Amino acid sequence: IEWEKPFEDNVQYDFEKLLVAKAEHRLMVFRADDEMMAKEYFKWLDEIVDKFKLNNSGDRYMYVANVNNNEKFVFHLKSIEK
């Protein structure tokens, strides 16, 4: 779970560890100020996944944004299909 700022540095470092892990479920949980910010982060994480050359068909990544300090959670699933 990544809460600290700067978001991009901390999350990217931890997220890159998930990229190389071979697991049935890869989950990244982080905090976002609002739903729009969460969706921007989802897009950014998707771009990192798309650039990763060692993905296999069927790999899945789940992102969970804790929006506005527990007001709600927003989810995004990224699946790799080759």
Side-chain angles (χ1 to χ4, degrees), residues 5 11-12 15 22 27 30 33 35 37-38 51 57-61 64 67 76 79 81-82:
K5 299 210 176 190
V11 170
Q12 185 165 355
F15 190 66
K22 292 300 171 197
L27 175 66
F30 56 89
D33 293 338
E35 195 166 341
M37 179 184 281
K51 291 176 186 174
S57 184
D59 284 353
R60 297 183 325 163
Y61 300 84
V64 180
V67 176
H76 177 76
S79 296
E81 309 214 6
K82 292 186 176 187

Side-chain angles (χ1 to χ4, degrees), residues 12-81:
Q12 185 165 355
Y13 175 76
D14 287 343
F15 190 66
E16 287 173 351
K17 291 186 271 184
L18 284 178
L19 288 173
V20 297
K22 292 300 171 197
E24 186 174 345
H25 303 286
R26 294 177 184 95
L27 175 66
M28 175 58 80
V29 181
F30 56 89
R31 182 172 32 199
D33 293 338
D34 55 41
E35 195 166 341
M36 184 176 185
M37 179 184 281
K39 290 179 180 180
E40 288 175 16
Y41 289 150
F42 295 160
K43 181 180 175 187
W44 177 68
L45 292 169
D46 279 350
E47 290 170 359
I48 293 172
V49 170
D50 290 340
K51 291 176 186 174
F52 184 61
K53 297 183 185 332
L54 299 177
N55 278 317
N56 294 308
S57 184
D59 284 353
R60 297 183 325 163
Y61 300 84
M62 170 70 77
Y63 319 138
V64 180
N66 175 330
V67 176
N68 199 18
N69 203 22
N70 294 326
E71 184 175 290
K72 70 178 184 176
F73 290 87
V74 181
F75 302 87
H76 177 76
L77 179 64
K78 169 74 173 177
S79 296
I80 304 301
E81 309 214 6

